Amino acid sequence: MNIEINPDRLWDSLMTLAEIGATPKGGVRRLALTELDRQARDLIIRWCTEAGCNVLLRAMMERAGVAHR
């Protein structure tokens, strides 16, 4: 399977995402579980859906793994 990346489209997408939570000095600040974080996640979900991808959402705590010994 060959996947081709359009570098201009990728850059434009990253710059659009960077507008959410942009700081005056050119950085980005989006703390987890804030409104800005939600906006960024919603945008990524929209892009994935538009690209025909299935999006699976899980509970926040499911992202952490704990090994019991």
Side-chain angles (χ1 to χ4, degrees), residues 46-62:
R46 189 184 91 216
W47 287 340
C48 290
T49 303
E50 289 172 355
C53 298
N54 293 322
V55 177
L56 175 65
L57 302 176
R58 295 182 173 215
M60 192 62 148
M61 293 310 293
E62 289 184 30

Side-chain angles (χ1 to χ4, degrees), residues 13-30:
S13 296
L14 291 172
M15 293 302 101
T16 298
L17 186 59
E19 292 173 7
I20 302 171
T23 63
K25 292 185 179 181
V28 175
R29 184 170 189 252
R30 287 189 300 266

